Amino acid sequence: MFVIENLIYKDILLIDRMEIPANKITCLVGESGAGKSTLLKMLNIMLSPDGGEIYFKDKNIKVADPILHRRKVVMLAQQPTIFEGTIRDNLNIGLNFSEKKLKEDHELNKALEIVHLNKALNEDAGTLSGGEKQRLALARVYLMEPEVYLLDEPTAALDEDAESVVMASFIKQVKQNGQSVIMITHSQKIAAKYAEKMITLEKRAVDRG
């Protein structure tokens, strides 16, 4: 699905070749500063490498329309943005931005069930806790129905029990839908349980003279 060749980015990334398969759960692991989040942003065309190539489905993403690409490859940042308004507003806003048809309330409630967020659609999203906001953001990207989810620490604000329940439910749906996940996770338990491919990034040792 993604093929990376001879990628260079500042003092952060140096990747000779990397392949990320379709319809699989791929976990990116490695110490802080190894470039995991940077790599996700490149796969989403939020950053461009200093050298090398990134291919998505055999096409160089240098020539891709970033907006169209991001409709297929949706990223959830570690600190997700929550917008003013209700939970309903926040669930639909990703669809609105990507010019997709808004979902009916029963579909929105289904997404909330998947991430185990028991809240009313008309509730003010600003009143949610950090962990609840993270689950709301995960439900929002789920509703966008992409080919690929890029998830940067999607459960960092959850305790271990909640993390296990939410990821089990989310990944079950992803597998049923034939979608792909590329995920950074701090949780060795989550990586060990769900990763169908594990990619370890190592922090570059840079000689500064």
Side-chain angles (χ1 to χ4, degrees), residues 46-57:
M46 295 175 65
L47 290 175
S48 298
D50 297 325
E53 312 296 338
I54 301 174
Y55 298 91
F56 176 63
K57 298 170 71 173

Side-chain angles (χ1 to χ4, degrees), residues 4-23:
I4 300 167
E5 295 179 338
N6 303 314
L7 184 142
I8 300 170
Y9 184 75
K10 298 184 178 180
D11 295 337
I12 301 172
L13 287 172
L14 177 61
I15 299 172
D16 292 332
R17 183 175 174 86
M18 179 186 293
E19 295 187 20
I20 302 176
N23 311 121

Side-chain angles (χ1 to χ4, degrees), residues 31-64:
E31 64 181 303
S32 179
K36 302 183 298 295
S37 295
T38 299
L39 179 57
L40 278 196
K41 290 176 181 177
M42 289 189 178
L43 299 181
N44 200 230
I45 322 184
M46 295 175 65
L47 290 175
S48 298
D50 297 325
E53 312 296 338
I54 301 174
Y55 298 91
F56 176 63
K57 298 170 71 173
D58 299 323
K59 293 183 179 179
N60 196 318
I61 66 172
K62 281 182 180 178
V63 300

